[in-house]
Amino acid sequence: MIRKKICVANWKMNKNFVESNDFLKKITQKDLSPNSCELVICPSYDSLFLFDRFNSQLSFGAQDVSYLNNPSLTGEISVDMLTSHNCKYVIIGHSERRELLNETNESVSLKMKEVYNSEMIPILCIGETLDEKLAKLTDEILDKQIKKAFSKIDFKSQKDILIAYEPVWAIGTGQAAGYNEIKQNMKLIKKIINNIYTNNCNIYLLYGGSVNENNASQIINIDNVDGFLIGSASLKVDSFYKIFKQL
Ligand code: PGA
């Protein structure tokens, strides 16, 4: 059986619902069918209602979720709310949230548990900063991020889990990590996971950080890379589609 590839668009705080609708209309007019790659769009919450409209051709994800099941929580969105909109994936622990919104390995672990126990699939984001890379701490950081993220999950059921390796210094800089560096770190991530009991969950590894139509085909051919998490290059229909076609 061919292992599927996964191409995830992380739109961050770009595109209002009119612009999202326009993008989704245009991309679903293209030929998406004869491909073993799953196309996933993660728009902002104001486009949640569009998930149902385009759900038959695309998969959808949210960019975050609350780990608390308390309705008295201003400004948060729950697992149940996302599930009710046919949301299939949830991005957890993106470095922008870790850096600017006090997301910690602890809150990431709580969100991982909530999403794992739901019908949705987590997309766990991990990656080292430039300072950590220069201090040769990458291995330690990735090990800590993964072990903590998985620490509260009771691996009873088998399901898909996506891990996006995104070196922080490569995000939005136009400077993707090099071939050997991605290869080495993906191998390390695989090794860390293999030492954790995951009840044979299907773990897919994505690379994120300045993926574009010019570097996609080289990166997708690196061992253990099952797909991408894409920011800037996912905002334009043509560039996103060109990447998808290379998977
Ligand atoms: P980028 O963003 O593709 O613009 O580097 C990736 C991400 O933040 O997930």
Side-chain angles (χ1 to χ4, degrees), residues 155-174:
F155 284 101
K156 273 195 300 243
S157 52
Q158 274 188 339
K159 67 186 285 177
D160 289 353
I161 297 178
L162 276 50
I163 298 182
Y165 169 55
E166 299 202 299
V168 180
W169 47 270
I171 295 177
T173 59

Side-chain angles (χ1 to χ4, degrees), residues 88-135:
K88 183 171 175 187
Y89 294 96
V90 185
I91 297 175
I92 298 175
H94 190 280
S95 65
E96 285 151 8
R97 298 194 62 84
R98 291 180 190 259
E99 197 183 330
L100 303 169
L101 295 164
N102 300 323
E103 189 83 83
T104 61
N105 282 338
E106 173 66 14
S107 59
V108 165
S109 70
L110 290 160
K111 290 177 183 184
M112 285 293 288
K113 179 182 168 202
E114 283 302 309
V115 174
Y116 183 87
N117 290 338
S118 76
E119 287 165 28
M120 297 185 292
I121 296 167
I123 306 177
L124 167 67
C125 296
I126 56 169
E128 79 286 1
T129 62
L130 184 58
D131 285 349
E132 289 161 348
K133 171 180 143 92
L134 295 175

Side-chain angles (χ1 to χ4, degrees), residues 22-37:
D22 185 54
F23 180 106
L24 296 171
K25 252 169 52 193
K26 286 186 179 140
I27 198 133
T28 50
Q29 277 159 8
K30 292 186 180 284
D31 179 15
L32 303 175
S33 55
N35 198 314
S36 58
C37 174

Side-chain angles (χ1 to χ4, degrees), residues 43 50 58 60 75 101 105 107 128 140 145 147 170 197-198 203 215:
L50 293 171
L58 300 166
F60 286 94
L101 295 164
N105 282 338
S107 59
E128 79 286 1
E140 198 180 306
Q145 289 175 336
K147 284 188 179 148
Y197 174 72
T198 57
I203 301 191
N215 60 22

